[in-house]
Every structure is written in C-alpha cells, then in structure tokens.
Amino acid sequence: MSISSISAKASSIDIETINEFIHAIEVSTPLLSVTRGVTSRIIKLRAKHVEDEKKLNAIELRGAGVENFNDFLNKLALAPFYGYVVHEKIYNKDFSIKKLEYIPHSCMKWDKDKEQLMLKGENKEIPITEKKFIISIHDKTLDKPLGKSLFEYGLGTVFEDLKSVNEKVRGLQKAYGDVIPVIGFYQEELDGKTDEEKTEFVRSKAKKYKGMLDNDKIFSAPLQTGIPMKDQIHFISLADLKLEMHKVLMEKYESKIEKFIKGSIYSESTAGSQAKDRVQQDEKEKIEDHIAKFISSELQKLIKDDAMFYGYSPECYYFTFELDSGEGELEKVEQEKVKTKREKMGLFQDLKNLGYKVSAEKIAEAIGLDKKDLLLEDSSNYLLGSEFSKS
C-alpha cells in the first residue's frame, strides 16, 4: 500500500482549519509532545557582559511576577502552528507586567484596507498595536502579514484523507454496530411487476420480518429458486465487513502526521530501534529548537518594555532555553570537570619533572579557585617545586 508523502510546498490555510487540526487527537498528541518539550526547558535570562549581571536579579524578579507566564509560554509555543498569537499587556502600578492576556483568534480580524490587525468590539474595532499588545508572528512575509503556519506545508491533505477514512469507519460502526438481518426473496416473485410494485413488495416483506426480528434495519436480496426457508435469512455484523484495510490506512496517515509534526525523518528499515529512537529524538529537538528561538525573540520584547521603564539597555540581555539534563547528567558533567582538572594537574607535574615552574595564577585557574585562596602550606613537599614563579 502506498500513500504519498506530505508535500513541502506551502498552501494557504485558515484559522478555523488550524483549530480543527489542533483539537484532533491525531494531531494534538504529537503537537503536545513538541510544545511540552519546548516549555519544559529551563529558561535563563543571560547578560552579555559581567558588569550587566548586577541588574539580572531585579529583572528576573519582575518577570517572575507575571501571573500567567506559563500559559503565555504555552500559547507562544503554538504560534508557529497558528501563524500568529496576540497577548494584551496588563501592567502593575510600577509599570512591571502583571499579566499577559491571550486574545482568541475569533476576537480578531485583519483589515486589508488598513493593513492592520483589529480587535473586534461591540461597537467598534480597536487597532492591535505593539504599544499595548505583544503580536507574535511566525515567518512573516509581504504576502503573509499574519505569518505562516507550519501546518501549511501539506499536512492539510493528509489530515483530510485521515478524516475521510475516519468518517467512513464511524458510519459503518453506526450502521452495523448491531447485527443486521438480510432477508431473501425469489426473483420469480418480482416477475411481471412494475418498478413501483417491486419496491413495494420488497418493503412489505421487510416490514413483516421487522416485527418478527425487532430490528430497525433489514436488507433484502434476491435468491435463486429452491433455496430452503432456513437459508433465506442471513445476518451480517461489523466483523463481517473487514475493516482491517481502513485501520491500516488510518495508522499510516497518523504515522505521517506524527512524523511531520515531530520532524522525524528516520528510515523504517535501515537502523536498529535504538538508533531510530535517537535520530527521532534529535529531529524532534530541532523542531523544538526552532520554536524555542521564536519564543526567545518574543520574550525579548518584554525586556525592551522593561528596559524602557527601568532605564537600561535591553541589548545587554538575552534568553536561552536549556534542556534539563536531570541530576544524573549533571553529575556526569561534574565528574568530567573533576577529571579534566586532574589531567591538568598531571600536566603541571610533567612540566615540573622537565624542570619548569607553573605560576600560582595558572594553578588557581586550572582548579577553579581564586589565587588568594591558593595558600602554600609546606613548600618543601609541594609537588610543583619549592616556589612559584612570579610571572
């Protein structure tokens, strides 16, 4: 069985269709996996220069005061799939952000004449501007002022095919959820009758059996002469309809949708299962990195607003999304650091054996101490010699 791959060519898609995608279980499951992978990362505000780190705590404290920050991140993570999301900035009295109120897409419209996104009100429409709103647009272009959804790259076709198969299966399940009788009749019984009379004959016979079998659905089928009465009634059920082909199609479509959203490109036949899992995870992390970079650029808008009110240069600060390696991974990192320090000390010992001296600054740097904390207790027994070079 062959199913065409998802096209890399972008096509227009509306918000209503995107909403349908996002709320469909086949799409929402892998989508949640990706967005959770992004929002579960450790978000760090960094300073580009050491002298700017003094302001970090104050900036972070104001950011921590945003009431719905996690919800804000979750909505931002969906922006690459919607194309754009909008939040209203609600301030405290000290001009720090109190809340970022999500604006549903149904409450907005694009005014082509004004080339402006508008908030729909009861009596008038309000322009949505960066002064009062955070307008987060993914992949904005001249012909796509409201951004481009990642769903536009062919997912719609596969989703529609999956939906079509789903609808057929549901229809069959509804029709054949119960056992349905098939009543036979002899072809000779219809001879000489008009079409209307034939229809009425079949209906009356089915009606007679309907009362006997207590079933709303009854099929009729012509039989050859001589079929005994016991063979004139058959029963069919959902199991008789062979839905295996439908299930295979659905599984293939669902697999393609999952790979599309998670960025999976691994081969089903070349690598072992562990290698495939690693490749799949790497590709998923690339998608997550793409979304994380987008969110970082939107968080930078908050820094610009904060800098305007509190008087500092926003260019000196930036956000990073770091993977949470867990305690085990952190322990490995620390062990590697210790190992590296020991190797450096071993190198210093080799230099000492060759007759060289090593400065206190270099030794302190290698083991991660300040020079003033490096005290020589017994110079006669020190492995690097009886004194340090002053150079």
Side-chain angles (χ1 to χ4, degrees):
M1 183 183 303
S2 176
I3 300 178
S4 58
S5 61
I6 295 179
S7 170
K9 184 179 179 181
S11 58
S12 182
I13 188 170
D14 55 45
I15 291 295
E16 289 75 19
T17 303
I18 293 172
N19 269 324
E20 185 182 2
F21 286 173
I22 287 177
H23 290 94
I25 187 68
E26 299 86 0
V27 176
S28 65
T29 300
L31 185 62
L32 280 173
S33 175
V34 169
T35 54
R36 283 172 181 165
V38 176
T39 56
S40 63
R41 295 186 181 192
I42 302 170
I43 304 173
K44 293 284 188 180
L45 179 63
R46 305 286 189 185
K48 292 182 180 179
H49 310 289
V50 175
E51 58 269 23
D52 298 318
E53 291 183 356
K54 296 179 181 179
K55 296 187 180 72
L56 271 177
N57 286 340
I59 299 172
E60 288 176 332
L61 281 173
R62 288 193 292 272
V66 179
E67 292 179 5
N68 62 334
F69 190 71
N70 287 336
D71 184 61
F72 173 64
L73 289 180
N74 290 333
K75 291 295 191 296
L76 280 183
L78 289 176
F81 299 95
Y82 274 111
Y84 71 99
V85 295
V86 176
H87 288 83
E88 182 181 2
K89 294 181 282 191
I90 300 174
Y91 294 95
N92 293 305
K93 290 182 180 180
D94 64 353
F95 298 107
S96 61
I97 294 289
K98 178 182 181 181
K99 189 176 182 181
L100 294 160
E101 190 70 47
Y102 172 70
I103 308 298
H105 290 84
S106 59
C107 297
M108 298 179 287
K109 63 170 287 188
W110 175 256
D111 190 316
K112 292 183 180 179
D113 296 330
K114 297 179 181 179
E115 295 186 345
Q116 174 74 56
L117 193 62
M118 309 293 288
L119 182 63
K120 294 186 286 188
E122 292 183 3
N123 301 318
K124 65 175 183 178
E125 294 175 347
I126 303 170
I128 295 176
T129 64
E130 292 284 359
K131 185 176 181 180
K132 189 168 176 56
F133 298 87
I134 292 183
I135 308 169
S136 308
I137 302 177
H138 174 260
D139 199 9
K140 181 179 180 179
T141 58
L142 289 174
D143 61 330
K144 293 279 186 177
L146 293 181
K148 189 182 293 181
S149 166
L150 291 176
F151 286 151
E152 292 189 17
Y153 293 89
L155 180 67
T157 302
V158 176
F159 181 75
E160 288 300 321
D161 289 340
L162 172 63
K163 190 166 68 170
S164 175
V165 177
N166 257 322
E167 288 171 352
K168 289 176 182 176
V169 171
R170 288 195 193 100
L172 290 170
Q173 288 173 333
K174 185 177 180 180
Y176 296 92
D178 298 321
V179 175
I180 297 176
V182 180
I183 307 302
F185 59 87
Y186 296 121
Q187 186 64 43
E188 291 83 353
E189 295 180 278
L190 301 180
D191 291 345
K193 290 182 172 61
T194 64
D195 290 342
E196 291 79 6
E197 290 172 336
K198 291 177 181 178
T199 301
E200 183 57 34
F201 170 80
V202 173
R203 281 179 177 172
S204 62
K205 189 165 186 176
K207 187 176 181 180
K208 181 176 66 175
Y209 280 101
K210 186 180 291 186
M212 295 168 56
L213 298 171
D214 191 25
N215 199 306
D216 291 335
K217 295 185 179 70
I218 292 181
F219 290 165
S220 297
L223 299 171
Q224 294 179 351
T225 305
I227 299 295
M229 176 64 72
K230 66 181 181 67
D231 295 329
Q232 290 185 22
I233 300 178
H234 295 272
F235 297 91
I236 59 174
S237 67
L238 193 62
D240 299 318
L241 299 179
K242 308 295 183 186
L243 296 179
E244 287 81 3
M245 189 62 68
H246 294 80
K247 292 178 181 178
V248 170
L249 280 171
M250 288 168 63
E251 288 172 0
K252 285 187 174 288
Y253 287 136
E254 288 170 3
S255 175
K256 285 191 174 291
I257 289 172
E258 181 178 12
K259 289 182 182 180
F260 173 83
I261 293 174
K262 290 185 175 181
S264 303
I265 57 172
Y266 65 85
S267 168
E268 296 283 359
S269 57
T270 56
S273 59
Q274 187 172 357
K276 287 191 295 185
D277 289 345
R278 182 65 258 173
V279 173
Q280 185 178 21
Q281 181 62 28
D282 288 344
E283 291 300 316
K284 178 173 176 283
E285 287 180 8
K286 289 177 184 177
I287 295 292
E288 292 173 0
D289 288 342
H290 174 80
I291 298 174
K293 288 177 182 177
F294 172 79
I295 295 178
S296 295
S297 66
E298 298 307 304
L299 291 179
Q300 200 65 29
K301 294 177 181 179
L302 295 178
I303 293 296
K304 288 181 180 179
D305 283 350
D306 189 74
M308 181 177 66
F309 291 119
Y310 289 90
Y312 61 88
S313 299
E315 296 82 9
C316 297
Y317 303 92
Y318 63 96
F319 284 94
T320 62
F321 279 67
E322 301 172 6
L323 289 171
D324 185 0
S325 302
E327 292 184 6
E329 288 297 322
L330 290 175
E331 186 177 348
K332 288 181 182 178
V333 171
E334 291 302 319
Q335 289 174 351
E336 286 297 321
K337 288 181 180 179
V338 171
K339 181 180 177 183
T340 301
K341 289 176 183 178
R342 286 175 176 169
E343 288 175 351
K344 287 182 178 180
M345 294 303 292
L347 176 61
F348 292 160
Q349 180 66 55
D350 292 340
L351 290 172
K352 182 249 181 183
N353 294 337
L354 291 172
Y356 292 94
K357 296 179 180 179
V358 181
S359 69
E361 288 87 347
K362 285 297 179 183
I363 295 175
E365 179 185 333
I367 59 179
L369 294 176
D370 193 298
K371 181 187 174 183
K372 63 180 174 42
D373 296 323
L374 190 65
L375 305 176
L376 192 61
E377 184 175 350
D378 185 355
S379 61
S380 62
N381 293 327
Y382 198 76
L383 83 139
L384 293 183
S386 60
E387 61 179 284
F388 292 112
S389 169
K390 302 299 182 182
S391 59

